[in-house]
Amino acid sequence: MLKSVLNTAKSYVGTQQGDAKHKDLIKKYNAVKPLPVGYPMKTTDDWCAAFVTVIGDLTKASKYIGRECGVQRFIAIFKNKGIWRGLAKPAPGDIVVFDWQK
């Protein structure tokens, strides 16, 4: 599964907000049922958590990582599932969260 996650994520390298691949990613996110917190994403929204949700769905990893549209909600899910590593050197396949405030 890890190889599938990495290959699928790599297929989005170079995607920029507003380009065709980004719009397709948002469309895939909005097709998730049930829609996380009932919020349909717009192409103008920050999309990092939507990316994680879509990659999880495409690779059947969502059952392990959850589905969300917000980073803080994902952190809560990871803590609840016991997979939150906190400050640690990331390894391939890890979901990295940046604290832009500090």
Side-chain angles (χ1 to χ4, degrees), residues 3-20:
K3 193 171 201 165
S4 176
V5 169
L6 292 175
N7 288 336
T8 304
K10 284 179 188 177
S11 75
Y12 284 90
V13 169
T15 301
Q16 294 184 28
Q17 190 159 355
D19 71 13

Side-chain angles (χ1 to χ4, degrees), residues 9-45:
K10 284 179 188 177
S11 75
Y12 284 90
V13 169
T15 301
Q16 294 184 28
Q17 190 159 355
D19 71 13
K21 204 150 196 179
H22 172 253
K23 289 176 183 175
D24 182 63
L25 181 113
I26 298 303
K27 180 180 174 183
K28 287 176 180 169
Y29 171 86
N30 285 332
V32 169
K33 301 297 179 220
L35 197 58
V37 295
Y39 180 74
M41 299 274 308
K42 301 180 292 276
T43 56
T44 54
D45 290 331

Side-chain angles (χ1 to χ4, degrees), residues 42-100:
K42 301 180 292 276
T43 56
T44 54
D45 290 331
D46 291 335
W47 52 287
C48 51
F51 172 80
V52 172
T53 294
V54 169
I55 298 302
D57 273 7
L58 292 174
T59 61
K60 310 284 190 262
S62 292
K63 61 185 170 189
Y64 303 110
I65 63 169
R67 293 176 166 143
E68 259 312 331
C69 64
V71 173
Q72 294 304 319
R73 289 185 186 94
F74 256 129
I75 291 171
I77 289 170
F78 301 157
K79 287 179 178 179
N80 191 38
K81 290 181 171 285
I83 60 173
W84 177 251
R85 294 180 47 208
L87 292 175
K89 183 176 180 181
D94 284 351
I95 298 169
V96 178
V97 176
F98 293 95
D99 181 354
W100 298 112

